[in-house]
Amino acid sequence: MTFQPGESLSQDEVTERVDAAIEDNDVVLFMKGNRLMPQCGFSMRAVELISQYHEDFETVDALASLDEFRVALKQHSGWETIPQTYVNGEFIGGSDILAELDERGELEAALDA
């Protein structure tokens, strides 16, 4: 899912997009920027970690309506921070949690859950 520069979405629109992305995708990463051009180091790290084990995953650029995405994501995870990764509708974590899972050899299994 991408948004055009300058596009600002209402809280209801963002909440609907977040809900749909989590429901409709096996693996989805809410991030700053997109898969080809991450806009922060944490988002870049999350893309790199997921890409090691899962080629086909959705990314959602939260920058266009960052405050609204934080609110919508907090309803699912209890966290406001971005990036956030969901697998089969379940919150997995941000880049630090993905890195910890990878270090323990558990990330591939978590992404295939």
Side-chain angles (χ1 to χ4, degrees):
M1 283 182 188
T2 59
F3 305 114
Q4 297 302 314
E7 179 181 3
S8 183
L9 302 170
S10 72
Q11 186 63 61
D12 288 341
E13 289 172 310
V14 170
T15 299
E16 287 175 20
R17 289 184 184 204
V18 166
D19 293 348
I22 291 171
E23 183 177 322
D24 296 344
N25 296 284
D26 293 337
V27 178
V28 61
L29 172 64
F30 294 91
M31 61 183 288
K32 294 177 181 174
N34 61 51
R35 188 176 186 168
L36 298 175
M37 189 177 269
Q39 297 297 305
C40 81
F42 295 111
S43 291
M44 182 184 309
R45 182 73 176 133
V47 167
E48 291 169 350
L49 288 162
I50 295 169
S51 295
Q52 292 181 99
Y53 305 107
H54 211 314
E55 187 176 313
D56 186 32
F57 63 97
E58 182 70 32
T59 61
V60 177
D61 183 354
L63 279 176
S65 298
L66 194 55
D67 291 337
E68 290 81 5
F69 271 96
R70 286 187 170 134
V71 169
L73 289 167
K74 187 175 181 182
Q75 293 172 0
H76 287 275
S77 66
W79 290 17
E80 292 182 354
T81 57
I82 294 170
Q84 290 191 20
T85 307
Y86 292 80
V87 176
N88 294 321
E90 180 182 336
F91 175 62
I92 300 299
S95 59
D96 291 346
I97 303 244
L98 295 177
E100 288 177 23
L101 289 169
D102 192 43
E103 288 173 17
R104 294 194 311 246
E106 300 172 2
L107 182 56
E108 184 174 15
L111 294 170
D112 289 333

